[in-house]
Every structure is written in C-alpha cells, then in structure tokens.
Amino acid sequence: VHCEEGLDCVTPPNILSAFGICSKVETKPAQPSLAGEGQECKTTVSPNYQVHCEEGLICSAPLRPGTPDVCTRLAASLSSSEVVAELASVATPSLRGSASAAQDKQP
C-alpha cells in the first residue's frame, strides 16, 4: 500500500516491518538559513541543515565537521589580500587551495 501524492509513509524509528502512517512531512527549505553576528553557524553539514552567516560575516571553521561555530565580523580595515587570507584560514579544506591561488594572483 502506498500513500497518496504529497504524503509520506512515516514509520516508528528502529522498528523493522512496522506499519506506517501516511502524513504530510514538513521539509526544510532548500535555501540555507542565515545567522547574525554572534549567532551559531553550521556549514559542514548536509545542505538542508546548513546555517550560513549574513553578508559581511564569516563562520569560523569548526574544530570537527558537523559541529557549529559562531558568525564573526571581518574587520573593515583589512586589505583585500588580508581578507582573502582570513577567508582561507576558515575555508573548508577543498576551498583552501583556491583561496591561496586567488591571493597569489592579487597585485
């Protein structure tokens, strides 16, 4: 038996072969949530659960993937190369190489 369109079969967790109930399941928005200065951010989790920082703020790199950190403001007095260096220091490992390359190309 299948649920009608727009409904999902929800079963009790950790119970194999349990009967389910057709329910409308609320899904998180595809767009990441935004956090303000001093608020918690998470960028190393599944896209549906990510929380990014508002414009002008950065999410400092968490110690372990999946753990939250805090949005902080970049200093307005930093030069563009210092901003690139700051962003590179908090970027995920896959982005660190491209941030370094961008810094090397700056005049």
Side-chain angles (χ1 to χ4, degrees), residues 11-99:
T11 57
N14 302 322
I15 300 176
L16 296 176
S17 302
F19 288 103
I21 298 173
C22 294
S23 301
K24 184 171 185 167
V25 177
E26 298 293 325
T27 58
K28 291 197 173 230
Q31 295 291 331
S33 300
L34 294 178
E37 187 170 9
Q39 292 182 323
E40 195 174 86
C41 53
K42 294 185 225 175
T43 58
T44 59
V45 295
S46 175
N48 284 345
Y49 300 98
Q50 289 183 356
V51 178
H52 292 267
C53 298
E54 293 174 345
E55 190 172 334
L57 303 174
I58 60 166
C59 185
S60 52
L63 296 175
R64 296 182 324 206
T67 60
D69 210 58
V70 176
C71 294
T72 56
R73 185 166 304 281
L74 284 173
S77 61
L78 293 177
S79 69
S80 60
S81 60
E82 290 172 318
V83 170
V84 170
E86 178 70 18
L87 290 173
S89 72
V90 297
T92 58
S94 63
L95 297 176
R96 285 193 177 119
S98 60

